[in-house]
Amino acid sequence: MNRKWTQPEQMLLRMTNDFTDNEIAPFDLQIDHEGKLPAGLFDKLVNTGFLTMMLPEEFGGAGFGPEITAAVIERIAQGNASVAVTLEGHFKTLDQFLKYGTSALKAKYFPTAGERIFAFSMTEASGGSNPMGIQTTAVRQGDGWLLNGNKVMITNGGLAEVYAVLAKTAPDELSVFVVDKDMPGFQFGKQEDFIGLRGTPVGEIVLTDVYVPADNLLGKVGDGPMLGDSAHDDARILMGAVLSGIMTHALNLSVTYAKERKALDVPIGQLQIIQHKLANIAMSRDTTQLLYERAAYLKATQQPYSEAATMTKAYGSRTAVAAGDDALQIYGGYGYSREYPLAHLIADARALEIAEGTVEKMESAIALAELGKA
Ligand SMILES: Cc1cc2nc3c(=O)[nH]c(=O)nc-3n(C[C@H](O)[C@H](O)[C@H](O)COP(=O)(O)OP(=O)(O)OC[C@H]3O[C@@H](n4cnc5c(N)ncnc54)[C@H](O)[C@@H]3O)c2cc1C
């Protein structure tokens, strides 16, 4: 799509490209091998103002909208997807504070959002696809609530300082509470050792009799399912952008290699079978990009975007895994070496067939939306 960026948006994209080229891309393999961001990178993300770029100016942010926010995420993901996913997890949580937080909640938490990461916590060991299966409880105590339970596999778990937590307020009722890591009874638990997105911490939080004031209810009692769906939708747009970024990374590597590497005395890029793979990567990237841009446009113009957001992540995650595999094959034996980034591109993309709703659940959601239109 030919979205015409404003002057400030063009400046932001230039700044993001420079930041990605200088601060992220050179460390891509290091991030994968060491399983963490290089020292100082998180502080640089904070200092350049990325963490509040999408918050409205009245809350201390830069006021950038959904379309340019997704474009920024895509460019960062071209350098390293896990840096982009760390921002995605923060942004989707801030989005829920914006949509459902009271003025008091916003006043309490937004002034810290430029330095502290926020996270959205639904999944438990008992299962992530079925929210009603969770066991975390919130019981009224005085003016507030007492929370008990464990949340696992939380994006930025361990790094984030503020958590939106899905809890049962009655056997068939789910609500969301804002929990601060400094509240008594809050602990960090196990950190996941995932195969991809190695720079994004994903971990457990353990809540033992954590007292949460009434103000920290996000939305209303019983709004949990709606808030969970809304967080998924906002996350899925940005994940479409992450997947486009991964595929651009794969395409750039593949094109460069296909021009240099020779077989039968010609560059392998002149072999039709290799061209077929390059074409597939490019088509998948462009389609995913169009899908996320459409979803971001619908969101920016206050139109329903749930199905469009789900499509970009469902389509993008499946095709990005295939694109990474095509790129690996173009590199031949070197592609299979951890000295090159192809394997981690596949593993990074693979996470997004699971996080923020599995592909199976998303395909059901798309089908139900289509059935509902008939
Ligand atoms: C990198 C990463 C980041 C994550 N970040 C977060 C986060 O920030 N916050 C958070 O709360 N969670 C997070 N998760 C957890 C993620 O949301 C869950 O892993 C996901 O929802 C699936 O839940 P599960 O792992 O318990 O699998 P299960 O729900 O046990 O599913 C197992 C299998 O059964 C299938 N299945 C289950 N139910 C259905 C159904 N109704 N229809 C069709 N198929 C079904 C699934 O598709 C899957 O293939 C993250 C996970 C990953 C990998």
Side-chain angles (χ1 to χ4, degrees):
M1 271 164 42
N2 291 317
R3 166 86 155 72
K4 201 167 168 1
W5 302 117
T6 64
Q7 201 73 22
E9 288 169 340
Q10 287 175 26
M11 278 173 58
L12 175 65
L13 284 179
R14 275 199 298 276
M15 190 271 276
T16 305
N17 287 337
D18 288 347
F19 190 87
T20 302
D21 290 348
N22 297 320
E23 307 291 351
I24 302 176
F27 304 101
D28 177 50
L29 272 177
Q30 180 186 325
I31 291 170
D32 181 59
H33 291 173
E34 295 185 358
K36 60 178 189 202
L37 297 187
L41 178 55
F42 181 71
D43 290 340
K44 285 176 187 162
L45 285 169
V46 168
N47 294 337
T48 37
F50 278 117
L51 267 53
T52 46
M53 58 161 284
M54 44 65 75
L55 268 190
E57 289 173 29
E58 59 180 304
F59 299 121
F64 286 110
E67 293 165 284
I68 184 71
T69 299
V72 163
I73 291 287
E74 178 182 357
R75 278 157 178 76
I76 289 177
Q78 289 171 20
N80 179 273
S82 53
V83 179
V85 167
T86 285
L87 287 175
E88 168 273 317
H90 180 63
F91 290 164
K92 69 137 186 247
T93 311
L94 290 182
D95 255 331
Q96 309 323 307
F97 279 57
L98 274 173
K99 288 184 197 171
Y100 301 107
T102 59
S103 309
L105 195 76
K106 290 173 184 164
K108 186 157 37 161
Y109 283 100
F110 282 159
T112 69
E115 289 146 25
R116 306 207 298 164
I117 291 278
F118 289 37
F120 206 93
S121 324
M122 296 195 276
T123 304
E124 300 190 5
S126 54
S129 299
N130 171 22
M132 288 318 292
I134 66 164
Q135 285 159 18
T136 296
T137 54
V139 177
R140 278 235 175 246
Q141 187 173 84
D143 281 346
W145 299 84
L146 209 56
L147 265 68
N148 279 285
N150 292 20
K151 295 285 172 186
V152 300
M153 297 190 219
I154 307 309
T155 297
N156 294 324
L159 170 69
E161 302 195 9
V162 180
Y163 292 81
V165 174
L166 185 74
K168 278 197 168 162
T169 36
D172 292 324
E173 184 181 76
L174 298 172
S175 309
V176 177
F177 298 88
V178 176
V179 178
D180 204 295
K181 80 163 182 40
D182 294 326
M183 288 175 170
F186 181 103
Q187 278 181 296
F188 290 121
K190 179 187 168 201
Q191 286 296 122
E192 298 297 339
D193 184 15
F194 279 157
I195 58 169
L197 294 178
R198 304 267 304 153
T200 310
V202 181
E204 180 182 21
I205 58 168
V206 180
L207 309 175
T208 311
D209 288 337
V210 175
Y211 177 78
V212 175
D215 271 358
N216 282 32
L217 175 70
L218 197 52
K220 298 192 294 298
V221 169
D223 278 353
M226 181 188 66
L227 264 144
D229 287 348
S230 166
H232 276 151
D233 291 344
D234 291 320
R236 288 171 186 175
I237 297 176
L238 299 179
M239 286 188 166
V242 171
L243 290 156
S244 301
I246 291 174
M247 287 191 264
T248 296
H249 192 166
L251 187 59
N252 291 344
L253 289 168
S254 302
V255 166
T256 305
Y257 197 71
K259 285 182 182 168
E260 286 168 1
R261 182 73 173 175
K262 287 199 171 155
L264 312 172
D265 288 335
V266 293
I268 58 171
Q270 290 187 23
L271 306 177
Q272 202 173 32
I273 193 92
I274 298 292
Q275 292 171 353
H276 178 76
K277 295 184 201 307
L278 292 172
N280 276 341
I281 302 171
M283 288 190 291
S284 300
R285 190 271 313 271
D286 281 13
T287 310
T288 303
Q289 197 173 55
L290 286 166
L291 285 169
Y292 93 66
E293 287 175 352
R294 178 181 66 155
Y297 167 78
L298 291 171
K299 178 176 171 178
T301 51
Q302 283 91 45
Q303 299 181 66
Y305 58 92
S306 180
E307 187 185 8
T310 303
M311 277 188 190
T312 187
K313 186 171 101 72
Y315 179 84
S317 58
R318 285 246 151 116
T319 56
V321 171
D325 194 49
D326 277 338
L328 187 152
Q329 195 67 14
I330 290 172
Y331 269 68
Y334 294 112
Y336 197 61
S337 165
R338 296 192 65 212
E339 278 181 42
Y340 294 84
L342 291 315
H344 96 70
L345 295 185
I346 299 173
D348 290 355
R350 192 66 182 78
L352 305 192
E353 289 193 49
I354 302 164
E356 300 297 345
T358 62
V359 167
E360 293 78 8
K361 289 267 305 193
M362 287 189 295
E363 286 178 352
S364 288
I366 294 165
L368 288 173
E370 292 299 324
L371 288 166
K373 290 176 193 169

